[in-house]
Amino acid sequence: MNNIGVITSGGDVPGLNAALHAIVLTSSKRNIKVIGINDGYDGLIDGHFIELDFQKVRDIMDEGGTIIRTSRSKRFHESKWRKKGFENLKRADINGLLVIGGNGSLKGAEIFCRQFDFPVIGIPKTIDNDVYGTDYSLGFDTAVNTIIEAIDKIKDTADSTSRIFIVEVMGRKAGFLALHSGIAIAANAIIIPEVKPDTEKLLASIEHNWRIGNRAMIIVITENSIPEGGLGLKKIIDSKFPEFESRVTILGHIQRGGSPSAFDRTLASLLAYHATLALLKGRKNVMVGFLNGKIKFIPLADVGWKTHETDTLLMKIANEFSLLM
């Protein structure tokens, strides 16, 4: 194996550049050239290739985003476009591929590997932390810290104005971000997709807190947990308690940006190092994960069609310390 390619696919997360840094250093010490594929799977289809050497990656560990950019490719769902991408790899004499992505991207990687019998190894990244086969995905820890920092500031305003603040975080169908950040900031309630919300119980808790003088409340909710998310919850609260003041803060894409945390930089280096070595040793169609403090290789056939389940221990703690809805 002389040349390997690397793709960052799907939504951007902190830690992608740290992973690229590790891939280039691991490969260059073994005289392997790394080809970065710009713009995710779309770049693979269009042949947007660039060589990555030490000079390009030496100062990127602390940078958010990805220097080779990323995309969500609709074309890659079609066999004819995957074939074009495969032909571009062969033309560029690229012998193996590292795909840094979430569930959808890794599912695409598995299909590509199976269709063309081409060596592919996945590295998990998503702030949602829902990739199967790993306790942590790249970007999650930084996103949690970004949320905590934002809510700490919101709490100052909530305390000063005696308001109820509803903070909507990302996560799609997974409540990891809300659960971890909600526990860390001592939220009054945490609403996640995995647990059906008991709005009557929530409203009773809000009324009780208000009556005993705890009028500054923080509710953390995962997007899509209820119809209209945080705005939908505000409507429910306002219709029951028109005399209370409630506000909604939707953190949005601020959760994706910023310099990666120390944990994400280390995790990126660890996963990328082992993924690169595995690819050079001839492994394929697997994802490198971090499970119970150890490196594990998980078949991509499992990864793309399963999801990482929410931590039941944290859910129990959230029930003890606040309302888990």
Side-chain angles (χ1 to χ4, degrees), residues 32-182:
I32 303 296
K33 187 183 295 185
V34 178
I35 307 299
I37 300 169
N38 286 325
D39 305 310
Y41 286 133
D42 278 338
L44 178 62
I45 294 168
D46 297 329
H48 294 166
F49 298 172
I50 180 174
E51 183 177 349
L52 297 178
D53 57 21
F54 177 71
Q55 292 302 317
K56 286 189 174 68
V57 303
R58 67 175 185 174
D59 295 323
I60 66 172
M61 284 283 287
D62 62 334
E63 294 181 12
T66 165
I67 62 169
I68 57 173
R69 302 189 299 276
T70 186
S71 71
R72 301 182 190 275
S73 176
K74 293 183 178 179
R75 289 184 295 168
F76 201 70
H77 291 279
E78 299 182 43
S79 179
K80 66 177 182 179
W81 295 115
R82 292 195 297 271
K83 183 178 179 182
K84 186 176 181 183
F86 172 70
E87 291 170 349
N88 286 336
L89 289 174
K90 301 302 288 184
R91 191 177 298 114
D93 193 29
I94 295 174
N95 315 122
L97 187 63
L98 295 169
V99 175
I100 312 174
N103 289 310
S105 300
L106 295 176
K107 185 174 183 178
E110 192 276 330
I111 293 171
F112 184 84
C113 180
R114 179 161 36 88
Q115 182 175 355
F116 302 106
D117 193 28
F118 191 83
V120 179
I121 291 187
I123 298 173
K125 67 88 190 160
T126 171
I127 64 169
D128 302 335
N129 206 41
D130 61 348
V131 174
Y132 176 82
T134 186
D135 289 333
Y136 299 102
S137 297
L138 298 187
F140 171 69
D141 183 72
T142 307
V144 170
N145 281 284
T146 297
I147 293 168
I148 291 170
E149 183 179 357
I151 297 179
D152 282 345
K153 292 181 171 71
I154 290 169
K155 285 180 73 175
D156 292 341
T157 298
D159 290 337
S160 299
T161 58
S162 298
R163 288 173 178 162
I164 301 167
F165 270 86
I166 302 162
V167 182
E168 181 183 300
V169 301
M170 287 181 167
R172 295 185 299 177
K173 297 180 180 180
F176 289 96
L177 288 173
L179 193 57
H180 282 248
S181 62

